[in-house]
Amino acid sequence: AQTVTQSQPEMSVQEAETVTLSCTYDTSESDYYLFWYKQPPSRQMILVIRQEAYKQQNATENRFSVNFQKAAKSFSLKISDSQLGDAAMYFCAYRDNNAGNMLTFGGGTRLMVKP
Amino acid sequence: GAGVSQSPSNKVTEKGKDVELRCDPISGHTALYWYRQSLGQGLEFLIYFQGNSAPDKSGLPSDRFSAERTGGSVSTLTIQRTQQEDSAVYLCASSLDPAGGRRFFGPGTRLTVL
């Protein structure tokens, strides 16, 4: 079974600085998708960034970028120029074509941003 | 409303009672998902509806849990004879493109079983 692990229950970053959230996963598949979701206190889950495993280039969305290391099964999220509004729970998720469209989520990392 | 809506936003019930949670997906989205998030934990998949196909119920934790999706739109998650361990946030998501994984989530219903 696929598993997703986020080893950092909590992270803290100073406003305007950069922080990296870790995610590792376990799979025997070669074709899959990886995601980072943000869940602010409002509980609304927001897709931050998505990576297709067949693409070697790391995905980037404005201040958010990933470091996708397929061989190491690692998918970290880098947030640059952190803002107070970035404070939230961040979930890493995995999906492959054999999973019946089901996403497997990591346990989450709580990010705190200090002014 | 352009987003996924859920009601109620909070529900407190007594152990043993039945509850119904509602999800209104984004219009036109054929895929609908229910997840459960226990306090501080990741999301646990419950059930998935796709168009007129039979739902994927593989995530339902027990036969006390059931869900319906009427007319390919609104969905109701029912929990019978609630237990304290059912206390969690229940999140609904819809998707136009289930293959790509992009889900749009509702705000959730926080269920507290006393």
Side-chain angles (χ1 to χ4, degrees):
Chain A
Q2 288 77 13
T3 58
V4 178
T5 302
Q6 294 178 248
S7 59
Q8 307 152 317
E10 284 191 359
M11 291 285 285
S12 181
V13 63
Q14 202 72 36
E15 194 176 6
E17 294 189 346
T18 295
V19 64
T20 298
L21 308 184
S22 301
C23 173
T24 58
Y25 57 95
D26 185 25
T27 184
S28 58
E29 301 294 329
S30 60
D31 188 18
Y32 49 87
Y33 297 87
L34 296 163
F35 309 85
W36 278 99
Y37 280 89
K38 171 184 177 183
Q39 187 183 36
S42 67
R43 302 202 302 259
Q44 196 91 11
M45 293 283 276
I46 303 163
L47 178 64
V48 174
I49 199 163
R50 178 174 79 171
Q51 175 84 40
E52 289 93 340
Y54 66 86
K55 291 186 177 179
Q56 293 185 344
Q57 187 172 7
N58 289 323
T60 299
E61 290 286 342
N62 300 314
R63 298 183 294 107
F64 298 86
S65 62
V66 298
N67 183 4
F68 174 47
Q69 300 289 328
K70 191 171 184 178
K73 296 179 183 175
S74 171
F75 183 61
S76 60
L77 174 69
K78 185 172 82 171
I79 306 174
S80 304
D81 185 26
S82 297
Q83 300 176 0
L84 295 178
D86 295 334
M89 283 287 289
Y90 286 82
F91 291 95
C92 179
Y94 163 98
R95 181 200 165 270
D96 64 53
N97 291 331
N98 297 322
N101 293 312
M102 188 176 80
L103 288 172
T104 301
F105 284 86
T109 296
R110 182 174 301 282
L111 178 65
M112 293 172 286
V113 181
K114 299 177 181 177
Chain B
V4 177
S5 61
Q6 292 184 245
S7 60
S9 58
N10 285 284
K11 175 72 176 178
V12 180
T13 190
E14 294 179 348
K15 178 181 173 181
K17 301 276 188 178
D18 298 350
V19 295
E20 285 190 351
L21 312 180
R22 178 187 167 106
C23 172
D24 285 85
I26 293 173
S27 178
H29 280 193
T30 57
L32 186 146
Y33 311 79
W34 283 98
Y35 296 90
R36 177 169 71 175
Q37 184 182 26
S38 300
L39 185 63
Q41 302 300 309
L43 272 71
E44 173 189 13
F45 166 76
L46 297 177
I47 189 169
Y48 161 62
F49 296 89
Q50 173 57 47
N52 295 321
S53 302
D56 177 356
K57 303 179 182 179
S58 60
L60 295 178
S62 77
D63 58 9
R64 295 187 295 105
F65 288 72
S66 62
E68 291 184 341
R69 188 177 185 193
T70 54
S73 180
V74 173
S75 179
T76 302
L77 176 69
T78 302
I79 309 173
Q80 295 178 310
R81 304 181 303 282
T82 53
Q83 304 294 313
Q84 288 183 331
E85 60 262 30
D86 299 335
S87 297
V89 174
Y90 289 81
L91 285 161
C92 173
S94 71
S95 175
L96 186 59
D97 173 26
R102 185 181 182 98
R103 272 83 158 152
F104 294 82
F105 284 82
T109 294
R110 184 180 298 281
L111 175 65
T112 303
V113 183
L114 302 177

